[in-house]
Amino acid sequence: MGPSGEGQLSVDASAAREVVLRSWRAGQTYFPCLTGPTRDLSVDSRGVYPESFTAMIVADLLMGQPEHRFVVQSVLEMLRRELTSDALFHFFKEHERLPADADCTALGLSVLLRGGAPVGDEAHLALDRMLANTSGEGVIETYFDPTGERSGLIDPVVCANTLFLAHMLGRTEAMGPTLRHVHDVLVHRAFVDGTRYYHSPDAFLYFTARLVRRFPQTHELLLEPLRDAVGERQGSSGFPLDIAQRVIISNWLGMDDGGESEVLAGMQGPDGAWPRDSLFRYGRREIYFGSDVLTTAFALRALQAYL
């Protein structure tokens, strides 16, 4: 049963919202994040240095929900402060830990633009930088790295997020190679083992669906292959983030979710949170990043129709 079906799910929305608020207040300018060698962060996990990316994801998920207005607005204010003078975002708040990257920059700026922040000039400047930082085939690379140590790295999720920003700015004319790369990954199922920085196949489908849902001009190339891929993935994994992402996509695309919303609702813990899960990882090492608040934000968005 999808969101259009009959019936109600048992979800403690108030407790879940408190999880998000409490986590934000604990970090004050970030959501505390864990890192570890297992996806569920159950073994040898530890807190990671303060980072901005989790906050971008949470704000993007919860924007427009009145109950989360304080958290979303606080994230937007934080992002305005974190945006560098050359209009880029870094993953870590200590910028020397990693160079600025196209993923954080595209997502952070799209969240600011969605929230009404006056960052249009900065967004155009950032997109200029992305379009000057491509592979030989014209596909946008992940890092802005003057050392060249991370040159040539391409991730199709990053590509989907840069395409989202380019469409927001009405500048798609130079994005053809990047769009074709996302299409090729989708139709040839090159995402089934995850991508360099996103270990779950459903993360690629989620961020691609985020693009497709907002911009109808992508439908001719991406919509039907995306529907097919999502249908194939339903019920294929039991990780809470995977399930939440598939439910969100099904809702966006008008598909039945195959009962996965019920499964997701049943995973909520007594404290209101969903179990820890990780969304992204290092590229060179199998080290995962995530938290229960990240999973809870995805679950709240997935089950919004029932709350």
Side-chain angles (χ1 to χ4, degrees), residues 253-264:
L253 302 185
M255 300 171 60
D256 189 285
D257 66 29
E260 292 203 292
S261 53
E262 287 89 340
V263 175
L264 182 65

Side-chain angles (χ1 to χ4, degrees), residues 111-263:
V111 168
L112 283 170
L113 289 169
R114 287 189 62 214
V119 293
D121 290 344
E122 291 93 335
H124 281 285
L125 178 60
L127 188 59
D128 289 341
R129 291 285 305 276
M130 294 176 197
L131 291 171
N133 188 49
T134 62
S135 70
E137 292 74 34
V139 179
I140 287 178
E141 297 184 3
T142 299
Y143 281 100
F144 306 104
D145 186 1
T147 70
E149 181 183 0
R150 293 176 174 84
S151 64
L153 299 178
I154 292 173
D155 186 299
V157 174
V158 180
C159 291
N161 289 336
T162 61
L163 283 162
F164 190 100
L165 179 63
H167 278 80
M168 287 192 84
L169 298 175
R171 294 180 56 189
T172 59
E173 66 281 353
M175 298 294 291
T178 300
L179 178 60
R180 287 192 293 274
H181 178 68
V182 170
H183 172 262
D184 289 346
V185 169
L186 180 60
V187 298
H188 296 299
R189 301 297 191 266
F191 63 88
V192 294
D193 294 319
T195 67
R196 181 177 178 88
Y197 299 107
Y198 294 86
H199 44 276
S200 170
D202 298 302
F204 169 75
L205 296 178
Y206 169 78
F207 286 104
T208 301
R210 177 177 177 263
L211 170 70
V212 169
R213 177 208 182 210
R214 179 74 178 263
F215 302 107
Q217 55 267 51
T218 65
H219 287 188
E220 182 177 358
L221 198 62
L222 298 178
L223 179 57
E224 289 309 315
L226 181 59
R227 285 180 181 273
D228 291 342
V230 173
E232 292 169 10
R233 287 287 303 166
Q234 284 183 349
S236 62
S237 64
F239 289 102
L241 272 181
D242 289 358
I243 298 172
Q245 289 178 116
R246 293 195 296 262
V247 171
I248 292 170
I249 300 167
S250 296
N251 184 20
W252 283 347
L253 302 185
M255 300 171 60
D256 189 285
D257 66 29
E260 292 203 292
S261 53
E262 287 89 340
V263 175

Side-chain angles (χ1 to χ4, degrees), residues 14-26 31 58 62 68 71-72 273 292-294 296-298 300:
S14 178
R17 291 165 184 148
E18 182 62 27
V19 168
V20 176
L21 179 60
R22 187 169 59 245
S23 179
W24 178 252
R25 285 177 168 163
F31 287 103
V58 172
L62 302 182
H68 297 284
V71 169
V72 171
D292 58 355
V293 71
L294 186 62
T296 300
F298 269 99
L300 280 169

